[in-house]
Amino acid sequence: MATKKTSKTEQELLEELRSEYVSVRLAAAHNPNATPEVLLTALKDKDGWVRSNAAYNRKATPEVLLIAMKDRDEDVRREAAAHPNTTPEILLIAVKDEDEIVRERAADNPNATPEVLLRALKDESRYVRNCAAWNSSATPEVLLIALEDKDKNVRIFAAGNSKIKSLNLSTDKWLELVAGGFFEGHTKNIPHHVKRDPRYKSIRLLSKLAQ
């Protein structure tokens, strides 16, 4: 009869982090039972993969993630920026990172506050701005700015955000967005009173023909 495998203790994982083998240390950093102490130790490892796994670990606390966000390796910072336990304070650091993917993940993180998203919308990369416009935590203020972005793709992402319905726009403004083709594939986001406007169908048809 096979014996039931028991979870490794903090002490056992800390011991594994002292192994000369990277694969052993990596497994310890990835272990779902890793404590903050284990992860903080893993973040001191000389191997970037070990540190990345520590930053990815779902048990990572804000304290762990803050240290990970200051890592010299962008892969570690990318994991920290995307982590569900990352706080808005950490995301404010991430959204100013030199690495574009770190900034994208910060703008995409649902924990992002308006301050983080507004900063992201000023980014030179349209991919970062796309993430901010699409973020489920976007506020009306964020979406209004995204709808005025110089890049059409950013405006399309904003129009596709389910929060777009919360905007207090005039019917003419809604129809202007429809005419621009921003709601193709996202017509559910168009308010009913706009769809009932006698101009809506013809504007929608002209928008499709212009695609």
Side-chain angles (χ1 to χ4, degrees):
M1 182 177 178
T3 57
K4 186 177 180 179
K5 188 176 180 180
T6 56
S7 301
K8 292 184 178 179
T9 65
E10 177 181 83
Q11 197 55 46
E12 287 174 326
L13 292 173
L14 287 170
E15 183 63 34
E16 289 183 356
L17 286 174
R18 290 191 282 270
S19 171
E20 64 178 300
Y21 300 106
V22 173
S23 60
V24 175
R25 304 199 307 274
L26 194 153
H30 190 75
N31 193 293
N33 297 310
T35 61
E37 180 63 29
V38 170
L39 298 177
L40 287 169
T41 301
L43 283 175
K44 298 175 183 176
D45 199 280
K46 62 183 179 181
D47 188 272
W49 281 109
V50 175
R51 301 198 307 278
S52 289
N53 272 268
Y56 172 83
N57 196 301
R58 300 300 93 169
K59 291 292 182 66
T61 60
E63 178 189 8
V64 171
L65 295 167
L66 178 59
I67 292 176
M69 187 52 64
K70 298 176 181 178
D71 197 276
R72 64 183 180 276
D73 191 323
E74 65 268 16
D75 286 328
V76 180
R77 303 198 304 277
R78 289 172 183 178
E79 296 295 353
H83 202 287
N85 295 338
T86 293
T87 64
E89 291 75 21
I90 298 173
L91 291 174
L92 270 176
I93 297 172
V95 80
K96 300 172 187 175
D97 199 273
E98 63 182 7
D99 182 75
E100 183 178 338
I101 295 177
V102 172
R103 302 198 306 275
E104 283 181 32
R105 293 187 177 184
D108 192 53
N109 195 309
N111 295 333
T113 59
E115 185 179 3
V116 173
L117 297 178
L118 289 170
R119 176 65 180 79
L121 285 175
K122 296 177 182 177
D123 202 283
E124 62 183 13
S125 167
R126 69 181 173 93
Y127 299 107
V128 175
R129 303 199 307 277
N130 283 346
C131 290
W134 185 253
N135 195 301
S136 59
S137 297
T139 59
E141 179 187 9
V142 170
L143 292 174
L144 282 170
I145 292 175
L147 285 172
E148 298 297 328
D149 196 275
K150 62 184 179 182
D151 190 287
K152 183 175 180 178
N153 284 301
V154 178
R155 302 197 298 274
I156 289 174
F157 272 96
N161 192 313
S162 60
K163 295 284 188 69
I164 196 77
K165 288 183 178 180
S166 65
L167 295 188
N168 185 24
L169 301 177
S170 68
T171 299
D172 285 347
K173 181 61 178 178
W174 281 109
L175 290 173
E176 179 186 324
L177 293 171
V178 172
F182 301 125
F183 289 105
E184 290 308 315
H186 301 289
T187 54
K188 65 182 185 298
N189 288 347
I190 304 173
H192 292 302
H193 75 273
V194 177
K195 291 180 179 179
R196 289 195 295 268
D197 189 282
R199 298 168 292 173
Y200 172 74
K201 288 185 178 180
S202 58
I203 288 175
R204 179 92 195 285
L205 178 59
L206 288 172
S207 172
K208 283 187 173 182
L209 292 174
Q211 298 296 316

